[in-house]
Amino acid sequence: MAYFTAGTYTRPFIDASGNLIPNAIAEERSVMLGGVEQYVLMRGKNRQAPLLVFVHGGPGASETPFLRTHNAALEEDFVVVYWEQRGAVHSYDPESDLSKITIDRLTKDLGELINVLLVEFGQEKVLLIGHSWGTVLALEHVAAHPETVASYIAISQTTNQADSDKEGYEWALARARESEDEEAIQRLEAIGYPPYTIEQFITQRRAVSQFGGTFMDGSSDLELAFSMIRTDEFSWPDLITFVQGTDSSGAALWPEQKNYNAYQRHPSIDVPIVMVMGRHDKVISPTLGKQYFKVLEAPEKELIWFENSAHGPPFEEPQKFNDLVRQTARRLGLLKSP
């Protein structure tokens, strides 16, 4: 069973006098999706506002703390839904059946969640945002149920996993050689080019992160951990389930993830798409993302570069990202122009 760690909570919305805002929503819930209880945080200053559903990366790596730190301003205009996928942090269950952590099952979980939200809030469609690994689930849902999505904002869209990992490997190895980091050179030369085992994939990702391909400011794991626990909805014990969830989910999904190819699976979709890419991203190839954008058939499509970002545009350039989300919603008629 999924659980919430004691000591976390989410703050209510209050006015300048300290009174509760009557039509706001600030709730942590356990929602049954695909027969498994999963954590969902819902926050919005007006529960009649458009629904914005965020699909986090990983696998198994909740981004709720980063979103709450950098992008909470979106709660002024939307009911923001922070879902932690089965196997991730507050949805982590050490006794869960890992054979059910698959792309298909997690995509169906997302679909069930969206249906629950649409019924409860009396809306027809959601604004769907996916990041990194989350773009796999978001794209799969968009392809299967376009009628439930007003627009899809894809941040660092996964296109061809193997080719992307090859690019990241070459970049990290070049940086290691430039900096004469013999330890990193040996680790990278030992794994070589994809295809990777999950252990080799983790080695590649750690090297990419070490040389600034994840966050341009070179944030360390410890710095990221401190930023996570500073949010109300996260605590020190959650760091343990965070690691356990990423390890178990990553291992369970890697046989599918390593072969994922959006070009083959989805050459077209029936939903407007905004593709967001960090210019300096070495985790997911923006070059491949741009190529996919060119060939993808969609009712409307827009490509937005974040020039001062690597893999985390919402967190590295939050004001620009928040404005982009609002502009997209206004173009769709979900929000009124200011």
Side-chain angles (χ1 to χ4, degrees):
M1 178 180 293
Y3 60 90
F4 303 165
T5 301
T8 63
Y9 68 104
T10 195
R11 295 176 187 266
F13 288 90
I14 57 175
D15 60 24
S17 301
N19 300 313
L20 293 176
I21 296 176
N23 202 38
I25 180 169
E27 296 181 12
E28 294 179 288
R29 292 189 188 175
S30 181
V31 180
M32 188 69 72
L33 304 172
V36 173
E37 290 185 22
Q38 298 180 39
Y39 173 90
V40 179
L41 170 67
M42 291 181 284
R43 292 186 55 85
K45 202 169 184 179
N46 178 1
R47 66 174 60 234
Q48 270 73 55
L51 287 164
L52 187 161
V53 177
F54 194 92
V55 188
H56 67 71
S62 168
E63 293 175 287
T64 302
F66 305 121
L67 292 163
R68 292 283 297 116
T69 298
H70 300 288
N71 310 104
L74 291 173
E75 297 167 5
E76 299 284 327
D77 302 289
F78 301 90
V79 173
V80 183
V81 180
Y82 309 87
W83 165 52
E84 294 184 356
Q85 300 156 26
R86 67 169 67 202
V89 191
H90 300 106
S91 298
Y92 174 73
D93 180 357
E95 298 180 0
S96 64
D97 182 355
L98 295 182
S99 69
K100 293 186 178 180
I101 297 184
T102 65
I103 290 175
D104 180 66
R105 182 60 262 173
L106 268 66
T107 301
K108 288 178 178 176
D109 289 350
L110 174 59
E112 290 183 26
L113 172 63
I114 289 174
N115 288 337
V116 167
L117 295 169
L118 293 178
V119 170
E120 177 172 346
F121 290 90
Q123 298 189 27
E124 295 182 357
K125 298 183 178 185
V126 303
L127 183 59
L128 186 63
I129 301 179
H131 178 221
S132 192
W133 151 257
T135 64
V136 171
L137 306 183
L139 183 60
E140 293 298 310
H141 175 80
V142 163
H145 299 287
E147 73 281 359
T148 65
V149 179
S151 185
Y152 169 37
I153 299 177
I155 312 163
S156 304
Q157 176 66 51
T158 299
T159 53
N160 183 314
Q161 183 73 47
D163 287 351
S164 179
D165 290 342
K166 178 183 176 182
E167 281 191 23
Y169 171 78
E170 291 176 335
W171 178 84
L173 183 58
R175 298 293 84 72
R177 287 171 174 166
E178 286 176 5
S179 61
E180 299 181 348
D181 187 329
E182 292 300 326
E183 186 176 344
I185 293 170
Q186 290 176 11
R187 287 198 306 268
L188 288 166
E189 288 182 341
I191 65 170
Y193 285 98
Y196 290 139
T197 64
I198 185 61
E199 292 80 13
Q200 291 170 330
F201 172 67
I202 291 170
T203 296
Q204 186 261 29
R205 283 290 175 89
R206 285 176 175 167
V208 166
S209 181
Q210 175 185 347
F211 294 108
T214 303
F215 293 104
M216 289 185 66
D217 65 4
S219 296
S220 68
D221 289 344
L222 185 59
E223 289 168 332
L224 294 174
F226 274 117
S227 72
M228 294 168 81
I229 64 167
R230 282 197 293 265
T231 59
D232 297 331
E233 296 83 6
F234 216 82
S235 68
W236 275 113
D238 291 326
L239 292 176
I240 298 173
T241 52
F242 183 93
V243 173
Q244 292 171 327
T246 55
D247 286 349
S248 59
S249 294
L253 286 158
W254 183 241
E256 290 184 281
Q257 184 185 355
K258 69 180 181 180
N259 296 315
Y260 191 81
N261 189 318
Y263 295 90
Q264 295 175 356
R265 294 178 67 89
H266 303 297
S268 65
I269 56 174
D270 294 326
V271 168
I273 182 172
V274 178
M275 288 188 66
V276 172
M277 293 189 290
R279 182 68 70 178
H280 308 281
D281 190 354
K282 302 302 176 184
V283 175
I284 299 292
S285 168
T287 302
L288 294 176
K290 182 179 179 181
Q291 292 173 2
Y292 181 60
F293 176 83
K294 286 183 177 179
V295 301
L296 177 66
E297 295 181 7
E300 298 176 25
K301 58 182 185 177
E302 184 178 11
L303 173 62
I304 306 293
W305 287 99
F306 278 60
E307 300 293 343
N308 299 309
S309 294
H311 191 57
F315 322 130
E316 297 179 274
E317 298 179 71
Q319 186 62 59
K320 179 177 178 178
F321 180 78
N322 293 346
D323 288 345
L324 170 64
V325 174
R326 295 187 187 100
Q327 290 164 8
T328 301
R330 291 189 187 106
R331 187 168 65 248
L332 296 165
L334 298 177
L335 291 180
K336 295 180 181 179
S337 298

